[in-house]
Amino acid sequence: MKRFEDYFLAFNRWALILILAAMSVIIFTNVMLRYTTSQSIEWAEEVARHLMLWLTFIGCGPVLRYGGHIAIDNLQDSLPTRGAQILRVLIALLITGFCIFAIWFGLQYMDRTQYQSTPATQISFAWIYLALPLGMAMTLIHWLLIVRSYIARREFASDAHFDATASASL
């Protein structure tokens, strides 16, 4: 299981790096062309916007894994240990339910938009909206890999690339 987790996390990180790099190159090139030649790439803004959608949903899982989403901890801090654990079980069930709902809704949304095409690139919107169910499925996998330590000790993952405790103190 640890090997799967390592490969899954590496795949997710590289996907994010490549999407962000592509988006940055497209935007930078378009801005440079606009100011140097008064011409722009007609599809650049559309593709950058779609890549931002993919970046958001694919990045949701690692952010959840490292405890980076906004949370209000006052109630957990004020409860006794057992009460805080019960609250975390409820939170875990809600997050799991939300991920499953988003996957289901995302697949339905893809089905509804499969025959619509984007204006500049003429690709099906279903490919754009695949980011929601795929990103939420990946988020669910990240969540299931860390949920036990979250419930037991309110611990999030940390590794050589990211320290959740140090980030939370910023």
Side-chain angles (χ1 to χ4, degrees), residues 127-143:
W127 290 107
I128 309 306
Y129 295 134
L130 173 64
L132 175 59
L134 182 63
M136 285 294 109
M138 292 173 74
T139 299
L140 183 59
I141 292 169
H142 281 291
W143 179 241

Side-chain angles (χ1 to χ4, degrees), residues 71-90:
I72 300 171
D73 295 336
N74 296 351
L75 182 58
Q76 285 186 59
D77 293 339
S78 66
L79 291 174
T81 305
R82 187 72 181 138
Q85 272 187 326
I86 292 170
L87 180 61
R88 287 194 296 272
V89 167
L90 177 63

Side-chain angles (χ1 to χ4, degrees), residues 1 12 15 24 39 50 66 85 91 99 137-138 143 157:
M1 191 59 137
N12 203 165
S24 300
Q39 301 288 322
H50 297 154
Y66 294 115
Q85 272 187 326
I91 291 168
C99 288
M138 292 173 74
W143 179 241

Side-chain angles (χ1 to χ4, degrees), residues 57-134:
F57 286 111
I58 298 296
C60 183
V63 173
L64 179 64
R65 172 187 201 84
Y66 294 115
H69 289 288
I70 294 174
I72 300 171
D73 295 336
N74 296 351
L75 182 58
Q76 285 186 59
D77 293 339
S78 66
L79 291 174
T81 305
R82 187 72 181 138
Q85 272 187 326
I86 292 170
L87 180 61
R88 287 194 296 272
V89 167
L90 177 63
I91 291 168
L93 290 172
L94 288 171
I95 290 173
T96 303
F98 175 76
C99 288
I100 292 169
F101 170 77
I103 293 166
W104 174 76
F105 181 76
L107 290 171
Q108 283 191 336
Y109 201 69
M110 281 179 59
D111 186 50
R112 291 180 185 150
T113 60
Q114 67 182 326
Y115 300 112
Q116 298 174 10
S117 298
T118 60
T121 56
Q122 294 297 306
I123 61 172
S124 170
F125 269 109
W127 290 107
I128 309 306
Y129 295 134
L130 173 64
L132 175 59
L134 182 63

